[in-house]
Amino acid sequence: MDDVRLAVRRLIAASVRPGTSTGMFLHQVCRTAAQALSASGAGISMMTTDGTRGVCAASDPVSERVEELQFVMGEGPCMDAFATRRPVLIADLGAGAVSRWPGYAPAALQDGVRAVFAFPLQIGAARLGILDVFRERAGPLSATELPMALHFADVTVEALIDRQSDAGTAADADSLAVDVGHGAQLFQAQGMVMIQLGGSITEASARIRAYAYAQDRRLDDVASDIVARRLRFDKDQP
């Protein structure tokens, strides 16, 4: 699973330039996810328990419209995924989904969408929103694509939380206007530390965060030192 996670991190890092705004970062995540998952498109919506919700990024205009339909209709995969905190995987919108979502399903089918896969963007008790993946053909995600989609959701949340932490803001949808452009550098640093430790990407991420906290430094500054090889983490370090 760490190999899949690292592959997703590299895909996102390769497509995001330093200085990219949060909005552009999320749009690029959608485009990258759509391409990697052989999908026709993808969309990200921000949702909170206090009722804040809306589309904030999409890979293309059609996906943005289909994503928005769920809020217009008040129903759809992203609504269910947010409520249940679990992925909602609809391999064929034309098979039973019309009775489940009588407003959304026919409208999405009319726009050419045959399958929708919704993944919660969440960490602990905090729910930020949903990543939706759309396909113009019916059929489930493959055994390779499903874990990749889950990691796209996880990595997106991590990048957003990292940027929020650096900006000193709370982890909620209202604070998603922070800059996430240096995410690529952080992903690269995590990959380097993973190799240095000979462990997992999770262990590398935890070690970097612990170091930044102990030294009272920003994650971006620590990541910069790692990438520039001014700082390294070895197995025998505490």
Side-chain angles (χ1 to χ4, degrees):
M1 293 297 286
D2 277 328
D3 289 342
V4 177
R5 192 181 192 85
L6 184 58
V8 169
R9 287 174 176 273
R10 285 173 173 168
L11 286 171
I12 295 176
S15 65
V16 178
R17 297 179 179 179
T20 301
S21 66
T22 301
M24 290 305 298
F25 171 82
L26 295 176
H27 279 289
Q28 195 56 50
V29 167
C30 290
R31 297 186 190 103
T32 304
Q35 183 176 11
L37 299 172
S38 300
S40 58
I44 293 175
S45 290
M46 293 297 108
M47 303 176 68
T48 64
T49 54
D50 65 5
T52 301
R53 56 189 58 191
V55 179
C56 66
S59 59
D60 59 276
V62 173
S63 296
E64 184 174 5
R65 183 168 63 250
V66 176
E67 187 78 1
E68 182 69 27
L69 275 173
Q70 301 182 81
F71 301 109
V72 174
M73 301 294 182
E75 62 181 28
C78 88
M79 300 289 194
D80 288 7
F82 183 78
T84 63
R85 303 177 68 99
R86 296 177 179 275
V88 174
L89 311 177
I90 307 301
D92 189 350
L93 270 176
V98 173
S99 60
R100 183 175 181 177
W101 304 303
Y104 173 77
L109 286 167
Q110 187 173 352
D111 276 333
V113 175
R114 291 296 307 274
V116 183
F117 310 98
F119 302 91
L121 301 177
Q122 58 192 15
I123 180 169
R127 289 182 285 175
L128 303 180
I130 300 293
L131 167 66
D132 284 325
V133 177
F134 308 107
R135 278 182 169 172
E136 295 177 340
R137 68 182 190 281
L141 293 171
S142 70
T144 300
E145 292 165 340
L146 180 56
M148 182 171 285
L150 290 167
H151 283 306
F152 263 106
D154 288 345
V155 171
T156 300
V157 170
E158 289 178 6
L160 291 172
I161 296 300
D162 286 341
R163 304 283 68 75
Q164 291 161 356
S165 296
D166 286 347
T169 55
D172 58 34
D174 294 334
S175 61
L176 290 179
V178 297
D179 185 0
V180 298
H182 298 291
Q185 181 172 252
L186 180 59
F187 294 159
Q188 182 181 357
Q190 289 170 337
M192 292 173 66
V193 173
M194 181 186 72
I195 294 173
Q196 292 168 11
L197 296 176
S200 68
I201 197 71
T202 301
E203 180 184 1
S205 178
R207 185 69 71 87
I208 293 172
R209 283 170 171 77
Y211 179 88
Y213 179 82
Q215 300 296 319
D216 194 24
R217 299 184 62 192
R218 298 175 69 249
L219 279 172
D220 280 344
D221 293 337
V222 175
S224 179
D225 282 352
I226 294 170
V227 172
R229 303 185 189 282
R230 294 187 294 267
L231 174 66
R232 68 174 286 121
F233 293 78
D234 296 315
K235 295 180 180 179
D236 57 350
Q237 288 180 329

